[in-house]
Amino acid sequence: MRSRLLSGAAALLISISGLTGLTACGSSSGSGSGDDAGPARLTVWIMRDSVAAPVLKAFTADFEKAHPGTTLDIQIQEWDGIGAKIVSALAGNDAPDVIEVGNTQVAQYAASGGVDDLTGKVADLHGSDWIPGLAEPGKIDGKQYGIPWYAANRVVIYNKDLFAKAGITAPPKTRAEWITDTTKLDTGGNQGIYLPGQSWYTYAGFLWDEGGDLATKSGGTWSGGLDTPQARAATAFYRQLQALGQGPKDSDEAKPLQANAFAKGDVAQIISTPGGAAAITEADPALKGKLGFFPIPGKTADRPGAVFTGGSDLVIPQASRHQAMAYQVVKALAGTTWQTRIAKAMSYVPNRTSLAGVLKGDPGASAMAAGAADGHATPNSPNWAAVEADNPIKQYLTQVLTGADPAKAGRTASEAITKALNTSS
């Protein structure tokens, strides 16, 4: 979903005029308790390219019709600097009433103060059906602050002509089949797969498949998870797959752009969000109609591989005088009607697993939705941004791909993750 999947700064801000000052986070009163539920003017800040203008226009008309006297004023916001803007808003006197945040950033914003506890609304919003990669990071210390909105995750994009040339008639469904097929494809001057060495979101999926995690918390203390048997197993598979192509070992998907590498015509597969297909055909229009999609294979055929789920959660600041109306905005955006319409219009994964079928007519989005059923998020800590800043996971992957001892490199990376997550801000 554009830069949202790779950026923690995604945000939609909905503000209501006449706000009072913010209080600290942690209230258990829940949205809509003793507030003014009457008509209000809601100013809606939506990030550029987050949702298409016709969809926003339709949502505005529908919401205003359902809530007579209420007005939505939607204003498009720029990406640059939005993270700091949210933190400042939560600490000031002019906060919005509903904020869309990157799903992995809920912990950071909740820790900054002023975010409402929406645990009491989970059942009303069909929380038992939420995809885990959006629901999990919105839940902090047993309380649900973030309400899942929509998501995106990685799939395999493949060149149908190269698959046919190799005699592969159906996409692989297990890791073993994937390695077999990719080995067949990695011949005759073609690359079986273009997998950059520092594609750490992809690696995280393999780690989750093995039952491990990037970090775990016990007794209030975080521990990095790259020095475990599960990490070594994930690393071994990553190294085996990465070797079946010519992806660089010391950079990620952006250096160089992997869509451009695929567009040269000699790459059979890349791991990307489905939106990567548009970049490929823009680079080489001759590939239009020749691209296929399948979920990242898992260890067994009964379920796809685990994936990192990037996307958006909705939170409500406590300061709102109109929390009941703010909640109605959240409920509408997270409800069946608008989950369906936004998913179809934007090729996003809906927030509920039971709605995956709405993407049936979109091959890329369908593959993405299938993978989202086993979606995960990065460790739920307000300090996770500090880990990504220096990113010892990338360093670890480059080291093991260039011959370093996985156990030793894993210990070093785990120590760096542990230090970053346990450092007081």
Side-chain angles (χ1 to χ4, degrees):
M1 74 176 70
R2 303 175 176 83
S3 60
R4 182 181 305 271
L5 187 60
L6 300 179
S7 169
L12 146 84
L13 309 177
I14 301 177
S15 66
I16 300 178
S17 59
L19 296 181
T20 59
L22 287 173
T23 60
C25 72
S27 169
S28 60
S29 62
S31 194
S33 176
D35 54 69
D36 178 7
R41 180 177 179 81
L42 299 113
T43 300
V44 182
W45 295 2
I46 297 183
M47 300 311 300
R48 185 171 300 282
D49 298 328
S50 177
V51 180
V55 181
L56 297 177
K57 184 177 180 179
F59 174 76
T60 298
D62 185 77
F63 190 84
E64 291 179 351
K65 181 179 180 181
H67 302 86
T70 296
T71 302
L72 297 185
D73 177 21
I74 295 181
Q75 301 176 1
I76 302 301
Q77 302 296 305
E78 300 299 330
W79 291 96
D80 189 37
I82 195 62
K85 191 172 185 178
I86 293 174
V87 173
S88 177
L90 292 175
N93 296 320
D94 190 23
D97 283 85
V98 178
I99 307 176
E100 177 208 354
V101 301
N103 60 323
T104 63
Q105 300 303 308
V106 176
Q108 175 186 350
Y109 297 135
S112 73
V115 181
D116 202 10
D117 173 11
L118 298 173
T119 306
K121 299 298 185 182
V122 171
D124 185 42
L125 296 171
H126 305 278
S128 62
D129 194 25
W130 286 339
I131 60 174
L134 287 183
E136 290 170 359
K139 192 172 186 177
I140 315 298
D141 295 330
K143 296 180 179 181
Q144 194 77 41
Y145 292 100
I147 302 303
W149 192 23
Y150 59 84
N153 50 264
R154 288 164 175 75
V155 300
V156 180
I157 301 177
Y158 70 97
N159 185 315
K160 292 180 180 179
D161 286 351
L162 295 183
F163 266 56
K165 184 178 179 180
I168 302 170
T169 58
K173 291 188 175 182
T174 67
R175 281 193 190 181
E177 292 175 357
W178 196 17
I179 291 295
T180 297
D181 288 350
T182 305
T183 302
K184 290 180 182 178
L185 293 159
D186 190 46
T187 186
N190 295 323
Q191 299 182 55
I193 189 169
Y194 181 91
L195 178 59
Q198 295 184 349
S199 184
W200 69 277
Y201 285 118
T202 298
Y203 171 77
F206 300 157
L207 177 56
W208 291 321
D209 275 341
E210 297 292 346
D213 207 338
L214 298 169
T216 55
K217 188 177 184 181
S218 178
T221 300
W222 285 95
S223 299
L226 298 186
D227 56 346
T228 63
Q230 294 87 350
R232 287 191 287 276
T235 301
F237 180 74
Y238 188 94
R239 184 164 49 185
Q240 182 182 17
L241 185 65
Q242 202 271 341
L244 296 174
Q246 299 170 22
K249 293 178 172 59
D250 59 353
S251 62
D252 59 21
E253 302 95 323
K255 301 174 184 178
L257 292 172
Q258 64 175 359
N260 290 344
F262 189 100
K264 293 178 180 179
D266 62 350
V267 172
Q269 306 169 87
I270 59 171
I271 297 171
S272 169
T273 59
I280 291 168
T281 55
E282 182 179 355
D284 183 4
L287 288 173
K288 189 173 184 178
K290 297 182 178 181
L291 304 181
F293 310 84
F294 59 87
I296 294 174
K299 298 185 74 172
T300 58
D302 58 327
R303 60 186 300 174
V307 291
F308 167 73
T309 303
S312 300
D313 280 19
L314 300 169
V315 302
I316 299 177
Q318 293 175 354
S320 172
R321 294 184 308 166
H322 302 282
Q323 285 193 350
M325 188 60 69
Y327 174 68
Q328 291 305 314
V329 173
V330 171
K331 186 173 182 178
L333 289 170
T336 301
T337 297
W338 286 99
Q339 283 294 296
T340 299
R341 295 185 68 171
I342 291 173
K344 288 182 175 179
M346 307 301 296
S347 293
Y348 292 155
V349 176
N351 64 2
R352 285 149 55 184
T353 57
S354 63
L355 296 177
V358 305
L359 299 171
K360 187 175 181 180
D362 185 329
S366 294
M368 185 167 62
D374 195 13
H376 296 252
T378 50
N380 201 358
S381 165
N383 288 347
W384 184 253
V387 175
E388 290 193 28
D390 193 41
N391 212 321
I393 310 166
K394 285 186 172 184
Q395 299 171 31
Y396 164 74
L397 290 172
T398 293
Q399 289 169 358
V400 297
L401 290 175
T402 55
D405 174 29
K408 183 178 179 180
R411 285 194 298 272
T412 300
S414 287
E415 289 170 0
I417 293 172
T418 299
K419 181 178 179 180
L421 293 182
N422 292 308
T423 298
S424 299
S425 59

